[in-house]
Amino acid sequence: MPASASRQDRTARQGSPGSEATPARLAADRRRRPDPATRQLAQGLGWFSLALGVTELTCGDAIARWLGMPRAGPLVRAYGVRELVQGAGILGSRDPTPWIWARVAGDGLDVATVLPGLGGDPRHRTNTVVALTALAGVGLADILCAQALSDAPLAPSERVRADYRNRSGFPKGLAAARGAARDVRPRDFTTPEGLRAWT
Amino acid sequence: MKALVWHGAQDIRCESVPDPRIEDDRDAIIKVTSCAICGSDLHLYDHFMPGMEKGDVMGHEFMGEVVETGRGINGALRKGERVVIPFTIICGECDQCRRGFFSVCERSNRNRHLAAKAFGHTTAGLFGYTHLTGGYQGGQAEYVRVPFADKTHIKVPDELTDEQVLFLGDIFPTGWQAAVQADIQPTDTVAIWGAGPVGQMAVRSAILLGAKQVVCIDRVPERLEMARAGGAITIDNATESTVERLNQLTAGKGPEKCIDAVGMEAHAPRALEQVYDRVKQAMMLESDRATVLREMIYVCRPAGILSVPGVYGGLVDKIPMGALMNKGLTLRTGQTHVNRWTDDLVQRIAEGQIDPSFVITHRGRLEDGPELYKTFRDKKDNCIKVVLRP
C-alpha cells in the first residue's frame, strides 16, 4: 500500500534562511525543489503580473471608470507598479515563493478595492462582477501555486544527506540477484504469448 | 496499553487505549514487537481516505508474539509463536480466498455493506485502515486483536530478525505482486513510478524476476539514490521529462511494463494538469489525482501491462481511455494478496536472495510515532521507512 505524500511542514523548517523573522513557508529557500508544473505556473503568474502591471499603469483611469470608480485612477496605477515589482520578483528570483505569497496578499487588496462597487452605481455592477470573478480565478491559481511552492521538498544539503548507495537489498550482490526468481510465473498473471508487447 | 491513535488530519497521538480482548473464537491477541509506518498510512494522516473515526488505532504493518488464542484456532497458532500479520485479514474459506485472491476476501470485512456501497462489492478487512474496510484496530500499538487469526498470519523462522521479516506484512509482497502481475519477461523494460518503500521493493522484485532494465521515477534525491543502489536507472522528474527519458531508454518504443507505486496523491509535472487536479480536488469533484496513471497509459508500449499497487480511494478524472483501449494495454490492480506470496518470500529472505531491511532509515519507540509520521510525510531527514518498537 504505497503512497507518495510530499507535503512539507506547514509551520517551520529546519535550516530555512530567515526562519526567525519570517515563517519558513513564506521565506525564500534556494533548496526548494518544486515540481515542473508548479515552476511553470509560477513563471506564468510572473508574466501575467508584468502584463497586468503594464496595463494598469497605462490604462489606470480607463479601468477605474469601467469599474465605476472614476477617482481611483491613481490607485489602479499604484497597483500596476505593485504588479510590476511582483512580476519582476517572481521571474528574477531563485525561489519565487515569497513573491507568489505577495501576489496572494495583493489579490486580497484588489478584492477589497473592487468589492464596494457591488453596492455602487448599478450601471457598473456587471463590470464589478466580471472583475471579481477574474480576481477569484487568478487568486485561486495564486493560492494553489503558493501552497505548492511552500510544500515543495527541499533538496538535502550534502551535510545532512544520508548515503544510501550501499543499500542494494541484495546480500549476495546485484549480479547474483538478477533473474534469481525468473521461474515465478503464476498462471493467472501470465499473458498469452500472442498478446505480449513485442520487443 | 499504548497505541498511536488517529484524531483527525495530521493529528496522531500516542495515548492509552483499552487492551484488546478475544471477541471471536478465531481471534488471537498479538504482543507487537515491531511495527512500521506505511506510505498508505499517510493517506489517513492527510485525511485523503474517508471513513476514519477519532480514536481509531493506526497501523497495518506489524509483527509480534502470540499471547492469547480463541477456542477456534485449533492449533493453527500457539502462544509464544512469532508471526508477521498480513495487512489483509483473510477467512481462508470463501471463494476468493480459495482462489488466492485474499485481498478481496468476502467475509473478513465486518462493514462489508459500506464497502459494497462504495465499490460495488466488499473487499477484505484491513487493520487500521478506515471503517470501509472493517474499522479494525491497527498494529501501531502494544497489543492487537487479529481476527481470523488461524489464517491471518505468517509464521517466520527464529533465525531471521524482526527487521528482515517485518515487511512481509505489506510492502515487500506489495512490490513483489506489482512486479509479478506485470508478467516480466527477460527482454522487458519495467518503469516504476515512485521510489518510496513500495517502489523500492518493486525495483528489487523486478530485478529478481529478470527484467532487462528497471527504471524508477521520482523527484526525491535520496530515494532515487536508493533505487539506483538496487539496480534501477533513475529519472528525476523534477528536472527532466519522464516521457522523453523513457522513450530514449527504449528506442522510442516505450517500456513494456509500467508500475504505479504512487497512487492518489501524485504530483503532475505539467502546470495545467496540476492546477486542474488540485482545483477539482478542492471542489470535491474528484478525490484522487491520476497523474501517474495518465502518464503510464501515454508512455507504455502498445500491448504492454500497467500494474497498479498504488492506492486509490475514490474517483479520478481525465483517464485517457482512448489510448488505453487503442494501445491494447492490460491494467492489473489490487490490494496485495499477501499470503499468496509470503511462503516463497520468506524462503528467499532465508536464502539471502534479498534482505528487505535495506529500506529502513528511521527507528523509534511508539512514543516517537507522531513526530516520525511528520518526518516521513515531509520526507525530512532523508526519511524513507520508519520502524517502531512498542
Side-chain angles (χ1 to χ4, degrees), chain A residues 1-13 33-41 140-141 144 147-148 151-156 160-172 174 177-191 195-199, chain B residues 38-40 43 48 60 87 101 129 170 174 176 180 183-185 187 198 204 207-210 219 221-222 225 229-230 236-238 253 256 262 265 267-271 275 279 301-303 305 309-310 332 335 340 348 351-355 358 360-361 374 377-380 382:
Chain A
M1 302 174 74
S4 166
S6 61
R7 293 183 184 182
Q8 291 287 323
D9 191 349
R10 292 189 182 284
T11 51
R13 289 188 207 179
R33 301 173 80 252
D35 54 80
T38 304
R39 277 205 308 270
Q40 285 170 21
L41 181 58
L140 184 63
L144 287 170
Q147 283 190 336
D151 293 348
L154 298 180
V160 300
R161 186 166 173 190
D163 185 354
Y164 296 148
R165 281 175 296 185
N166 61 352
R167 293 199 177 211
S168 77
F170 300 123
K172 295 178 182 170
L174 185 56
R178 283 189 189 278
R182 196 167 277 156
D183 55 322
V184 175
R185 291 269 175 269
R187 268 176 45 192
D188 50 344
F189 289 140
T190 302
T191 312
L195 288 177
R196 283 184 195 151
W198 58 274
T199 302
Chain B
C38 180
S40 54
H43 298 316
F48 267 85
H60 55 265
F87 74 93
F101 299 138
Y129 213 78
D170 186 348
T174 297
W176 179 258
V180 168
D183 189 19
I184 292 170
Q185 304 296 318
T187 49
V198 167
R204 273 71 179 177
I207 294 285
L208 286 168
L209 290 164
R219 63 190 179 121
E222 62 272 19
E225 187 175 276
D236 181 347
N237 68 356
K253 295 178 189 302
E256 289 92 341
V262 177
E265 292 187 62
H267 283 71
R270 289 162 294 278
V275 171
V279 168
R301 186 175 302 203
I305 293 177
R332 290 187 175 140
Q335 298 282 12
R340 179 167 177 176
R348 292 182 192 280
E351 287 172 4
Q353 267 187 26
I354 184 165
D355 179 357
F358 76 89
I360 302 169
T361 55
K374 205 158 145 49
R377 196 277 307 261
D378 296 344
K379 300 180 175 66
K380 275 184 187 168
N382 312 126

Side-chain angles (χ1 to χ4, degrees), chain B residues 28-71:
Chain B
I29 304 294
I30 306 295
K31 183 179 192 299
V32 178
T33 54
S34 295
C35 57
I37 302 176
C38 180
S40 54
D41 286 328
L42 298 178
H43 298 316
L44 308 180
Y45 184 72
D46 285 333
H47 206 185
F48 267 85
M49 292 289 285
M52 287 297 282
E53 293 178 8
K54 281 186 179 181
D56 286 347
V57 176
M58 298 287 294
H60 55 265
E61 199 168 27
F62 58 97
M63 64 177 296
E65 181 187 321
V66 180
V67 291
E68 195 178 348
T69 55
R71 282 177 301 172

Side-chain angles (χ1 to χ4, degrees), chain B residues 304-376:
Chain B
I305 293 177
L306 313 177
S307 170
V308 183
V311 170
Y312 289 86
L315 304 175
V316 294
D317 196 6
K318 298 287 179 291
I319 292 293
M321 273 308 293
L324 182 72
M325 183 270 164
N326 285 288
K327 289 169 78 173
L329 303 180
T330 299
L331 180 61
R332 290 187 175 140
T333 66
Q335 298 282 12
T336 311
H337 310 307
V338 178
N339 289 70
R340 179 167 177 176
W341 315 111
T342 44
D343 287 350
D344 179 38
L345 295 180
V346 168
Q347 195 59 34
R348 292 182 192 280
I349 295 170
E351 287 172 4
Q353 267 187 26
I354 184 165
D355 179 357
S357 66
F358 76 89
V359 79
I360 302 169
T361 55
H362 288 65
R363 297 171 176 86
R365 299 196 60 77
L366 212 51
E367 295 85 343
D368 305 321
E371 193 54 37
L372 284 168
Y373 259 94
K374 205 158 145 49
T375 303
F376 183 35

